[in-house]
Amino acid sequence: MIRNVMDMNAHYGGLNAAFQEEKKSVWVMNVVPVNARNTLPLILDKGFAGVLHDWCEPFPTYPRTYDMLHANGLLSQLSSERCDMMELFLEMDRILRPEGWVVLSDNLGAIEMARALATQVRWEARVIDLQNGSDQRLLVSQKPFVKK
């Protein structure tokens, strides 16, 4: 069951709106990266929760807070910056609950790099070709429940 969702590159809050339209009872944290166009006022005007955040830094939340992380275009946006992608994936692993999901949409190069990183943090990962004639791909990953 998915209750807490983070949209790591929220743009205009579209993921939040889609959940709301489908009458899904989830809480979404809409994150607008500091290096992107500041659309946070539009998100807040819709009544959605949201923050500005620099993904090169840790996100201020408790560990294992979110059931699902979603990002559209974030990886290719961050790859040109000073951020280390492995540090981003370790931060995602920290805030994701066991058996939580990560859904990333980006270009083929960024998704292939993300798949390699996802396997390094021991997530089950698969790439889905959208078959729309572009190089856009989805990476769907799940963090396993590790028993001691």
Side-chain angles (χ1 to χ4, degrees):
M1 183 167 119
I2 295 176
R3 296 170 301 228
N4 298 322
V5 176
M6 177 186 284
D7 191 350
M8 299 173 66
N9 194 15
H11 299 288
Y12 298 103
L15 181 67
N16 201 155
F19 278 127
Q20 198 173 49
E21 186 176 304
E22 292 296 318
K23 297 186 179 16
K24 300 295 181 189
S25 180
V26 297
W27 182 84
V28 179
M29 173 57 76
N30 295 286
V31 180
V32 176
V34 293
N35 60 347
R37 183 169 168 238
N38 185 3
T39 57
L40 187 58
L42 299 171
I43 291 169
L44 297 175
D45 283 347
K46 293 179 185 178
F48 299 155
V51 295
L52 286 171
H53 181 66
D54 180 358
W55 281 114
C56 297
E57 302 292 331
F59 191 81
T61 190
Y62 292 108
R64 301 177 179 171
T65 302
Y66 293 95
D67 301 305
M68 185 176 114
L69 304 176
H70 171 268
N72 182 9
L74 180 68
L75 300 176
S76 56
Q77 182 180 338
L78 291 179
S79 64
S80 63
E81 294 188 19
R82 61 180 168 81
C83 303
D84 179 16
M85 286 295 135
M86 179 49 98
E87 289 181 17
L88 174 65
F89 271 74
L90 291 173
E91 179 62 9
M92 290 166 64
D93 189 65
R94 182 186 75 84
I95 64 177
L96 188 65
R97 287 188 176 135
E99 298 184 341
W101 293 91
V102 177
V103 179
L104 304 174
S105 175
D106 219 310
N107 63 49
L108 179 60
I111 290 296
E112 286 302 326
M113 177 195 60
R115 179 182 16 194
L117 293 172
T119 57
Q120 288 179 22
V121 292
R122 306 225 189 303
W123 296 346
E124 300 166 12
R126 65 183 173 141
V127 175
I128 299 171
D129 183 356
L130 300 177
Q131 297 179 351
N132 60 1
S134 73
D135 72 338
Q136 287 292 111
R137 301 289 188 276
L138 281 180
L139 177 69
V140 179
S141 306
Q142 186 175 28
K143 179 179 177 176
F145 184 83
V146 181
K147 296 179 183 177
K148 290 188 175 187

